[in-house]
Amino acid sequence: MKALRDSSDVRDDTGELVRRLREDGYVYLPGTLDPAKVEAVAADLRAAMYRVGWLDDPGTTRVKSRDRRFTHESMAREYAALQSVESFHRLAHDPILMDLTSELLGGRVFSHPAHVCRISFPVDGPADFLTRPHQDFVVLHVATDVLTVWFPFTPCSAEHQGLCVLTGSHREGFLLPDPDMGGRRPLYVRVDPDDPRWATAEYRLGDIVIFHSLTVHGSRPNRSDRVRVSADVRYQLPTDPIRPEFLHPHGWPSTPDWPELTHGWSSLEWISTPEVPRIPPPPDMEYLEILRSLNPPPSRLLSAS
């Protein structure tokens, strides 16, 4: 798998960052966040994972048992403990992230409150992907120019894999998911794991990858003895619409809602949003039928000259 293009040399050149985003579907910016700030949040997440019995010790990411799977019960209990970590949600509002995504989208953005804490447990046996290839637009539905910022809370090497991006895939438009690929609902697209367009990196704390909602991405299996932890945070302009469920916590309604998760927080700023148009899903339609009827709005970001 090839290496992601490092754009840290043009970090302060918004025009070049936009050009690379249009060309590749992503920009990779190593060392953008303060590693000490990211590690402080990682420590809070480790403490939460230790409390729910996932880790041997809060000072390590070594798991108690392998091949865990998320269930309705674990989303309601264990994952809820991670979603209750205030510092995790605060980090999504770091001025660096807010400013970068605002520059790329050409206006002041807001962060979706549904911040994803991505937990990848160790697995055994052959597998091409742990997180199967997909586009974020498959769940967003109503806004095309949404940027996801991915960043790790644990280093990711070849055996402890992080994000993989299918370079240039955003130019193919919305790809209808294959319902035979599994999952609670159709989300995933069939992509050859040996496609030469796949790219990744050896990620360290402080690195970020920003990608467009139409960019196909996924992750390879975690074959270490430690849990891999990362974040997916989405940003968009408040003039674009949003699906109402993204105003709730990630995993809701299996995960409890904000009144329970935010008990004892110092501020609710991290989950607050400006006034934004809300478009609920069509009533009385099967999910695959909704996907078949999707027509992504034209992208201002990708179509601009």
Side-chain angles (χ1 to χ4, degrees):
M1 187 174 293
K2 69 179 182 180
L4 291 171
R5 174 164 36 171
D6 185 342
S7 290
S8 55
D9 60 325
V10 294
R11 161 65 184 84
D12 297 322
D13 186 342
T14 301
E16 178 61 15
L17 288 178
V18 170
R19 190 194 70 77
R20 293 187 184 190
L21 181 61
R22 290 175 186 152
E23 180 179 343
D24 296 333
Y26 73 88
V27 288
Y28 168 45
L29 295 166
T32 294
L33 293 173
D34 179 355
K37 184 182 292 188
V38 179
E39 168 54 30
V41 178
D44 291 343
L45 294 172
R46 289 195 301 269
M49 288 188 282
Y50 175 71
R51 288 195 300 272
V52 300
W54 284 355
L55 301 181
D56 276 341
D57 183 273
T60 178
T61 52
R62 189 170 53 249
V63 295
K64 275 194 170 183
S65 62
R66 299 177 68 87
D67 294 321
R68 287 185 179 269
R69 294 290 182 270
F70 279 111
T71 64
H72 178 79
E73 290 74 22
S74 64
M75 291 294 288
R77 293 196 300 267
E78 289 91 343
Y79 187 63
L82 275 69
Q83 282 290 324
S84 297
V85 174
E86 182 179 3
S87 62
F88 168 70
H89 297 277
R90 182 189 299 118
L91 188 57
H93 289 254
D94 187 284
I96 291 176
L97 300 181
M98 298 293 292
D99 291 346
L100 254 176
T101 50
S102 294
E103 291 166 10
L104 291 171
L105 287 173
R108 196 61 188 168
V109 301
F110 73 94
S111 171
H112 288 196
H115 306 131
V116 182
C117 188
R118 188 77 62 188
I119 308 297
S120 298
F121 292 108
V123 296
D124 296 310
D128 293 325
F129 291 97
L130 183 63
T131 301
R132 286 161 284 186
H134 66 283
Q135 299 169 302
D136 280 357
F137 185 79
V138 76
V139 294
L140 299 171
H141 290 184
V142 295
T144 305
D145 285 333
V146 179
L147 297 178
T148 296
V149 179
W150 179 92
F151 50 91
F153 289 110
T154 51
C156 301
S157 64
E159 69 162 6
H160 199 59
Q161 191 55 268
L163 176 74
C164 306
V165 177
L166 193 65
T167 304
S169 54
H170 61 299
R171 294 193 293 269
E172 300 174 20
F174 174 58
L175 305 174
L176 187 66
D178 184 341
D180 295 330
M181 290 188 67
R184 184 172 58 88
R185 56 185 181 178
L187 294 176
Y188 308 111
V189 295
R190 289 200 181 276
V191 180
D192 185 345
D194 296 319
D195 190 310
R197 295 177 295 166
W198 281 114
T200 191
E202 294 214 356
Y203 300 106
R204 297 294 178 262
L205 270 62
D207 297 354
I208 68 170
V209 182
I210 305 174
F211 56 91
H212 191 267
S213 74
L214 294 176
T215 302
V216 175
H217 58 285
S219 69
R220 296 288 181 139
N222 174 10
R223 301 201 181 279
S224 72
D225 64 348
R226 297 169 188 269
V227 70
R228 194 207 81 198
V229 187
S230 60
D232 298 345
V233 184
R234 297 178 182 128
Y235 301 86
Q236 71 172 74
L237 296 176
T239 49
D240 286 336
I242 192 172
R243 286 278 297 270
E245 60 261 40
F246 291 105
L247 303 175
H248 296 276
H250 177 244
W252 176 87
S254 296
T255 305
D257 213 343
W258 294 124
E260 180 175 340
L261 295 182
T262 59
H263 180 72
W265 282 19
S266 63
S267 173
L268 298 182
E269 176 185 352
W270 330 121
I271 58 166
S272 299
T273 62
E275 287 297 321
V276 58
R278 305 180 188 188
I279 301 179
D284 305 320
M285 286 182 69
E286 295 291 334
Y287 193 75
L288 187 57
E289 185 181 359
I290 293 175
L291 296 184
R292 286 177 175 146
S293 68
L294 281 183
N295 185 22
S299 168
R300 298 180 302 272
L301 178 60
L302 301 181
S303 63
S305 59

